[in-house]
Amino acid sequence: MQIKANHLTYTYMKNTPFETNAIDKLDLMIPGEQFTSIIGHTGSGKSTLVQHFNGLLKPTDGSIKIGEWTVKSDTKQKLLYPLRRHVGMVFQFPEHQLFHETILADVAYGPMNFGFSKEEAEKVAKECLANVGIDDQLFDRSPFDVSGGQMRRVAIAGVLALDPELLILDEPTAGLDPEGQEMMMKLFHDWYEEREERSIILVTHQMEDAARYSDEVIVMDGGNVIDRGTPRQIFAKKAELEKIGLTVPESVQLLEALQAHSESELNTSAFTLEDTVESILSFLHKKGRD
Amino acid sequence: MTNDIHVDHLYFRYHEQAPYVLHDISLTVKQGEWLTILGHNGSGKSTLARFFNALHVPKEGKVISCGIDTKHANEWVNIRRQVAMVFQNPDNQIVAPTVEDDVAFGLENAGIPYEEMHERVYRSIERLGLRGLETQEPHRLSGGQKQRVALAGALALRPKVIVLDEATSMLDPTGRIEVLSMVEKLRKEENITIITITHDVTEAMLADRIIVLHEGSMAYEGTPDEILSDENALRKVGLRAPFIVQMANELKRQQVPLPNGVLSHEELVTSLCKLKPIT
Amino acid sequence: MFDNVIIGQYVPRNSLVHKIDPRAKLLAILLFIIFLFISRHPVVLSLAIVITGTTFILAKIPFRYYIKGMRFIAILIFFTFLLHLFMTREGTVIVDWPWLTVYSGGVVEGSLIALRLFLLVLMASLLTLTTTPIDLTDGMERLMKPLKRIRVPTHELALMMSIALRFIPTLLGETSKIVKAQMARGANFSEGSLWKRLKSLIPILIPLFVQSFKRAEDLAIAMEARGYGGGEGRTKFRQLRWKRNDSIAIGVFVMFALLTIVFGFIE
Ligand SMILES: Nc1ncnc2c1ncn2[C@@H]1O[C@H](COP(=O)(O)OP(=O)(O)O)[C@@H](O)[C@H]1O
Ligand SMILES: Nc1ncnc2c1ncn2[C@@H]1O[C@H](COP(=O)(O)OP(=O)(O)O)[C@@H](O)[C@H]1O
Ligand SMILES: [Mg+2]
Ligand SMILES: [Mg+2]
């Protein structure tokens, strides 16, 4: 689903002494069917921006177009409901949204809001729960009665159950242990790969994830987009990123340190273990040739 | 009086019928050392930590904190003044509506006279780099600032030990660095024993010694060099080795003759540059 | 969603009014309200206006701040005015339509009550706008201290209030987050029958309750870890010092009270 922001501005607590311009006259186009990451320092406006993508926030000024929907400051709430069927959103600590008596009913809540019958909704819910790795023995348990990692997966199943075209992830792995983070990112990536028309927009502080999974990385600072490009292009700009409080993935840090220390050219844009090893090996080979 | 913490054959479960959350834990935390307790979510880290300052008291086994057996109820307040704790969720541990009031909270509880309290509060605020935020309301602070407020409140009590129970896990990278650099500073300048609890292996590198907890038992114990370079052992307990360790191991597998125990970027880079070229 | 909740919010400024001891402010307001509602003498009322106006100016709170916070109150005051206007049957008839009769007494009564309410609300919001909630709590705790002798748990009450103040913004943020999360799952809070709308609140109230419970538990543990053990033997970080300006402020309001009594006799 394509997104197009036109002079988008969002102001919190307008007309009070605490007024904050979180997004400032932003122009942005994000193509559909791709994996996009948004990075930026805390407070740079990432969450505020992505909440416009499914109509949770309406622009204070300017407009935003998501697929065929256009949202302006005076757009009626009512018109935004169908949009949310197509754009799913996973917040930070999504397990805080669980409320139903059973896990199955909680996941079926979304589809039922959009007019599915109970049977249909539960069928979808079961599929989604299986996809996120929740055993069917747990379906009738209370969502508050399972481990923290499982709670989060149930909450995510509740969002996937809407079968959105675009999935927005706002720091979805915060607070998980390394294994949990790895599994969670894999789950999202598998979901994304499953169908051609699906897109993901990931807000993250983990540069490694942004580098590994995205087609495009968008850099935000002070309520505006200041740079965008492929992970390769963005993470080649270590100094610029550091200036706005960001880092490059650890693999890039290592390769750049090696490059600086050995004073020889090497490929520094490697984001996986394999690529990094390969880059180092070719560095060692080259050393042999020189 | 010794300022060590001794845990001796500790077993614990939350209810009579529930499974044991801690199995036969025995350990000693030496005065002035930095100990990290590493383990995945649910491995029992927080439960164990709460024995150090008598928030839990052993039914089976024994815990002696700073020379005092924690089973004596009348010593609990005293123990908690010596073993301070910073918790995971920055929002759920600040009690008072402003920074300075919160830093003072522990001192008020201890009945410290006003003049001294005033001095200690502002000294702590200064030490944690919170000058200018004295009268700020907690909800206007960043995550890193909130945890520094919690640290300031702990420091004001002049404790012998500070326990940080995943104090950085809900913070962004900047906040994490902010808090950890403060902890390093406090340990160096105030000679406070530090116990950090985490599942972040990069954070564990800062420690003198690491204990790995897995399903309520002590799985491994050793220096960061020993623990963090064992990729398989870590994977077995649901953790991941630091990126550098993974890299070094992979390179070794590819016949690159690296020394053992490479943990930091600098070490790896200098080792690589020293190597004979591959032909 | 809660962006515009500003009633009861403190606005930091470096003003005379901000610096007055909270005990003095509380006592002054108490005096002011009691005597404002006792007297209807024009001199007393004018004096009340002057006092309110002066405090208002001294407090240095930007004007637009009030307008926003007062909008709802203004409607309330206006209704009270209308109520008195139509209900009072004294004085001469000034409007006499078949379906409506307004007496001059109605105009007087209505205006009087509107003026009093207006001054009261203005003073009350000045109190909260210029005093940090924690100072207010502190002031109240100290003024209530004598009640401790009849076993009113003043320390616990004050602590409860201060914790509530600390957590209100956090809970508002939490609520807004949960509302958004459920809306993202298609929740609709503004359509359907009343019953349906009430039911649609369950997905918000339950997570909110669960979260608050978790928070309370965490907080209790954190307090215990910091050696909290009730009010006994506790010292206080916040010291209130009575200054000359506080006496002057109270003096002004005592004068106001005295004048009210004097004019009461003259009448
Ligand atoms: N509910 C809110 N009320 C007032 N200000 C807010 C609110 N949410 C965010 N802000 C402010 O808006 C700016 C952008 O915040 P946010 O979009 O959350 O950034 P990010 O997600 O990049 O951390 C920040 O300055 C923040 O303080
Ligand atoms: N208050 C409690 N009541 C019952 N069980 C608990 C309680 N707190 C923790 N547990 C259980 O004890 C185990 C260890 O939890 P915890 O010490 O919090 O682990 P960690 O801090 O390593 O994530 C978990 O299985 C958890 O479910
Ligand atoms: Mg955010
Ligand atoms: Mg824990």
Side-chain angles (χ1 to χ4, degrees), chain B residues 27-168:
Chain B
L27 59 93
T28 298
V29 192
K30 289 249 165 53
Q31 169 164 23
E33 84 167 325
W34 181 330
L35 175 76
T36 285
I37 301 176
L38 198 59
H40 64 82
N41 283 346
S43 56
K45 305 184 294 298
S46 300
T47 309
L48 175 58
R50 287 177 189 179
F51 279 93
F52 298 153
N53 61 349
L55 288 173
H56 286 322
V57 189
K59 284 208 191 93
E60 301 168 62
K62 198 164 167 180
V63 177
I64 297 180
S65 270
C66 300
I68 310 166
D69 193 329
T70 63
K71 72 177 178 210
H72 302 304
N74 55 345
E75 294 281 7
W76 290 349
V77 170
N78 192 6
I79 292 172
R80 286 170 197 156
R81 221 170 290 160
Q82 320 228 15
V83 184
M85 200 161 196
V86 178
F87 296 86
Q88 177 176 21
N89 192 331
D91 277 325
N92 297 0
Q93 57 184 319
I94 298 187
V95 182
T98 73
V99 169
E100 55 185 13
D101 287 289
D102 193 72
V103 174
F105 182 74
L107 299 174
E108 292 180 321
N109 294 337
I112 306 292
Y114 175 74
E115 300 300 329
E116 189 186 342
M117 169 154 48
H118 192 270
E119 200 252 279
R120 285 214 217 170
V121 165
Y122 290 109
R123 202 183 106 82
S124 269
I125 286 178
E126 171 92 54
R127 299 287 284 141
L128 272 298
L130 294 165
R131 275 279 290 277
L133 296 172
E134 290 88 347
T135 56
Q136 190 65 275
E137 296 162 89
H139 71 276
R140 299 198 189 284
L141 299 176
S142 72
Q145 288 171 334
K146 284 181 206 168
Q147 292 302 60
R148 269 152 63 205
V149 171
L151 263 174
L155 181 68
L157 281 166
R158 308 221 170 117
K160 304 288 188 310
V161 185
I162 297 184
V163 184
L164 295 104
D165 184 0
E166 292 199 35
T168 59

Side-chain angles (χ1 to χ4, degrees), chain C:
Chain C
M1 180 149 189
F2 299 99
D3 279 4
N4 292 328
V5 180
I6 58 157
I7 301 171
Q9 255 212 46
Y10 171 70
V11 180
R13 283 284 179 284
N14 190 11
S15 87
L16 255 167
V17 184
H18 282 72
K19 286 193 196 115
I20 298 287
D21 190 294
R23 288 168 296 185
K25 286 191 212 175
L26 282 163
L27 284 174
I29 285 228
L30 202 68
L31 277 174
F32 182 75
I33 290 173
I34 292 173
F35 287 95
L36 176 65
F37 279 78
I38 286 177
S39 174
R40 44 191 301 141
H41 197 284
V43 175
V44 171
L45 291 176
S46 325
L47 204 61
I49 294 173
V50 171
I51 288 179
T52 315
T54 315
T55 322
F56 180 84
I57 291 164
L58 288 176
K60 294 194 199 160
I61 305 274
F63 189 63
R64 65 192 162 110
Y65 223 104
Y66 291 88
I67 302 179
K68 208 155 175 148
M70 293 282 258
R71 208 176 283 158
F72 175 71
I73 308 278
I75 295 171
L76 230 93
I77 292 177
F78 184 65
F79 269 106
T80 329
F81 170 74
L82 287 187
L83 212 70
H84 280 84
L85 186 66
F86 300 144
M87 302 301 264
T88 315
R89 306 212 178 297
E90 277 165 31
T92 53
V93 176
I94 41 179
V95 176
D96 193 7
W97 292 327
W99 43 273
L100 178 74
T101 335
V102 173
Y103 295 82
S104 62
V107 179
V108 174
E109 269 314 301
S111 309
L112 184 65
I113 198 80
L115 177 70
R116 280 172 172 169
L117 279 177
F118 177 72
L119 292 180
L120 182 148
V121 170
L122 206 60
M123 272 306 214
S125 36
L126 265 169
L127 176 69
T128 56
L129 286 167
T130 63
T131 322
T132 59
I134 189 163
D135 276 338
L136 265 183
T137 319
D138 231 34
M140 278 187 222
E141 184 184 0
R142 272 156 221 253
L143 288 178
M144 288 193 310
K145 212 163 190 177
L147 297 181
K148 214 168 169 176
R149 242 176 277 150
I150 54 166
R151 297 188 175 238
V152 178
T154 49
H155 161 72
E156 283 75 9
L157 282 174
L159 183 73
M160 242 167 65
M161 208 143 109
S162 129
I163 289 178
L165 289 170
R166 149 76 186 89
F167 279 95
I168 284 171
T170 311
L171 283 181
L172 287 179
E174 180 92 32
T175 312
S176 145
K177 206 195 117 182
I178 295 170
V179 167
K180 280 180 180 164
Q182 306 301 25
M183 276 168 79
R185 293 209 278 167
N188 187 339
F189 307 112
S190 49
E191 271 171 35
S193 61
L194 184 66
W195 173 238
K196 213 170 154 189
R197 278 192 224 183
L198 281 178
K199 243 177 70 178
S200 74
L201 290 181
I202 292 176
I204 294 171
L205 295 179
I206 289 184
L208 200 59
F209 182 78
V210 170
Q211 277 306 306
S212 308
F213 205 77
K214 173 90 179 71
R215 263 185 221 290
E217 204 179 301
D218 281 3
L219 193 68
I221 292 171
M223 284 170 67
E224 206 183 330
R226 296 172 75 181
Y228 179 72
E232 280 311 309
R234 235 173 153 258
T235 43
K236 286 203 73 101
F237 175 66
R238 271 181 186 263
Q239 305 279 320
L240 295 179
R241 273 199 208 89
W242 194 268
K243 296 174 297 294
R244 213 181 51 166
N245 274 351
D246 303 320
S247 305
I248 295 174
I250 282 289
V252 170
F253 284 84
V254 169
M255 290 285 281
F256 171 72
L258 287 177
L259 272 175
T260 313
I261 295 169
V262 171
F263 279 104
F265 279 118
I266 292 173
E267 229 171 47

Side-chain angles (χ1 to χ4, degrees), chain B residues 170-184:
Chain B
M170 287 174 77
L171 304 182
D172 63 8
T174 324
R176 207 165 285 183
I177 293 168
E178 221 174 288
V179 170
L180 286 175
S181 63
M182 281 301 154
V183 173
E184 282 189 282

